[in-house]
Amino acid sequence: MQKVIEALAQQMQADLAGVNSKETLAGFWQTYLSKNGKVPGLMKELRNVAPEERPAAGKIINEFKVQVQAEYEAAAERIKAAELAARNAAEAVDITLPAKTRPMGALHPLTLVRNEIIDAFAGMGFEVFEAPEIDDDDHNFTRLNVPKDHPARDMQDTFYLTDELLLRTQTSNGQIRSMDCMKPPLKILSPGRVFRSDSDATHSPMFHQMEGLVVDKGITLCDLQGMLDELVKNLFGQGTRTRLRPSYFPFTEPSVEVDVSCFECGGKGCSLCKGTGWIEVLGGGVVNRHVLENCGIDPDVYSGFAFGIGIERIAMLKYGIDNIGLMFENDLRFLKQFQE
Ligand code: DAH
């Protein structure tokens, strides 16, 4: 029996040398330790051993069994460790590799200006009200006190879609639309795109405006000037002052053009303000009583002010942009200059 076991031990060591994976380990177990394996086979051999030698033989078989089991477990540990090391190596992350950079975007200058205007007025209780870009003649002109054949229609070259429908020429349609669905007191800002058949370095067939409208009891031109003072300080800096000049718009009476003191030279006169110290920035006035009447609001009880700002014009002044086309080309070299 001793000899048989020695031979088997040698073979086992040889087989063990070939155990290097879960599969070969399972094969080893099958060969030696499974029910029909070689080690239980030795136990069966014990039957053929003379009775007086059986205890000694049984003992060495047992010792061998323990040894094979220990070898099996050690091999299992080895294989597990090797597989873990292989997996770690495969999943290793090279933290020295440079990260992928994602270029940061920036808000468009028109968005920056629009947000600044909204921020200034939101603090005074205004809400944003959006009106349609395609509207009818009624909301864009007639009810704003610009009847058909009124010469003021010549001020704006209109894109007509049909006899009645048009691309709005001004955000002033937001005045009528808001008064149609809200009761005074109301304070709205209506930003958006407007369209006119006009194109040169400072005009584009599509551009942006921001309309403002306040309707309440006892509103006067002073309220307009007070609120615009706040706005221009926000847009152009604390020292900026406003000046109202008489003007004409069909939907306001009186109407004004609003100038700001030149933020470039502080009012002394420079090329930006063409030596005058003042820059025109928007139009406005006291809402014409006909407009209130056209919206079912009694002008003897309520009054209001309105204004309209060209966003491109403010952006061009503020950032020193000399051609309006730059704002619509989306050239990254231009847009990147507004990155904060
Ligand atoms: N809608 C005018 C324009 O496009 C701007 C304007 C002027 C709007 C006076 C107003 C206003 O609300 O009161 O030229």
Side-chain angles (χ1 to χ4, degrees):
M1 183 53 75
Q2 184 77 34
K3 282 216 182 89
V4 174
I5 288 179
E6 271 170 20
L8 199 54
Q10 248 177 28
Q11 198 193 333
M12 186 227 14
Q13 288 299 345
D15 283 350
L16 202 58
V19 170
N20 56 9
S21 67
K22 270 190 185 147
E23 292 71 31
T24 48
L25 180 70
F28 178 85
W29 184 85
Q30 197 68 36
T31 311
Y32 290 94
L33 294 167
S34 69
K35 213 164 115 209
N36 298 319
K38 292 187 172 168
V39 175
L42 289 174
M43 290 294 187
K44 285 172 201 151
E45 286 295 317
L46 216 50
R47 257 185 276 140
N48 307 326
V49 175
E52 60 279 14
E53 289 172 15
R54 264 185 214 155
K59 190 165 167 254
I60 55 172
I61 291 172
N62 255 330
E63 280 167 4
F64 182 60
K65 186 180 166 189
V66 169
Q67 188 200 343
V68 177
Q69 240 155 8
E71 292 287 9
Y72 170 79
E73 272 154 34
E77 280 300 314
R78 241 184 5 254
I79 286 163
K80 214 166 112 187
E83 280 186 354
L84 186 68
R87 206 170 71 219
N88 284 346
E91 288 174 6
V93 175
D94 183 354
I95 56 165
T96 64
L97 278 177
K100 276 192 190 140
T101 54
R102 286 174 195 277
M104 272 289 279
L107 291 180
H108 193 279
L110 294 176
T111 308
L112 291 173
V113 169
R114 189 194 61 191
N115 288 354
E116 277 180 29
I117 299 173
I118 292 177
D119 283 351
F121 283 104
M124 296 185 253
F126 282 70
E127 62 181 291
V128 172
F129 177 94
E130 294 201 12
E133 291 170 4
I134 295 176
D135 210 339
D136 53 30
D137 197 271
D138 219 37
H139 289 84
N140 192 80
F141 288 126
T142 311
R143 287 168 73 196
L144 282 161
N145 203 31
V146 190
K148 284 216 158 65
D149 306 323
H150 190 290
R153 291 200 182 196
D154 291 345
M155 287 160 77
Q156 303 174 357
D157 286 322
T158 311
F159 291 113
Y160 280 92
L161 302 176
T162 66
D163 276 352
E164 274 310 305
L165 287 179
L166 44 80
L167 296 180
R168 67 171 173 191
T169 58
Q170 49 189 358
T171 45
S172 306
N173 68 333
Q175 293 191 34
I176 306 297
R177 294 258 163 211
S178 63
M179 285 189 279
D180 272 353
C181 66
M182 292 190 261
K183 293 262 155 295
L186 61 90
K187 278 190 204 170
I188 60 121
L189 284 177
S190 197
R193 285 191 282 206
V194 300
F195 307 84
R196 291 181 200 177
S197 176
D198 205 355
S199 185
D200 60 29
T202 54
H203 295 87
S204 153
M206 186 282 295
F207 61 104
H208 298 76
Q209 287 185 335
M210 175 88 71
E211 195 83 5
L213 173 71
V214 172
V215 182
D216 201 349
K217 289 177 181 160
I219 296 292
T220 69
L221 202 58
C222 293
D223 297 302
L224 174 64
Q225 185 159 25
M227 289 196 185
L228 291 178
D229 274 341
E230 281 307 305
L231 171 70
V232 301
K233 281 182 195 149
N234 225 47
L235 280 176
F236 300 113
Q238 279 306 314
T240 317
R241 285 159 295 126
T242 58
R243 175 177 85 168
L244 306 187
R245 278 182 296 109
S247 182
Y248 171 74
F249 297 102
F251 25 88
T252 42
E253 179 59 36
S255 300
V256 293
E257 296 280 1
V258 181
D259 296 343
V260 293
S261 54
C262 181
F263 41 86
E264 196 71 16
C265 63
K268 285 193 227 66
C270 66
S271 61
L272 184 67
C273 59
K274 302 193 181 77
T276 65
W278 295 93
I279 300 172
E280 183 187 319
V281 289
L282 61 102
V286 172
V287 180
N288 191 304
R289 35 190 305 127
H290 295 312
V291 174
L292 294 177
E293 277 166 1
N294 290 342
C295 297
I297 295 172
D298 184 350
D300 292 326
V301 179
Y302 290 102
S303 58
F305 71 69
F307 60 86
I309 310 175
I311 312 260
E312 279 79 358
R313 177 165 167 76
I314 302 291
M316 290 172 83
L317 286 169
K318 187 168 165 159
Y319 300 118
I321 301 165
D322 56 8
N323 192 322
I324 196 168
L326 289 169
M327 285 201 263
F328 306 116
E329 279 169 11
N330 285 332
D331 185 327
L332 283 177
R333 290 168 301 180
F334 171 77
L335 295 174
K336 275 191 173 152
Q337 297 178 42
F338 302 92
Q339 221 147 23
E340 281 170 355

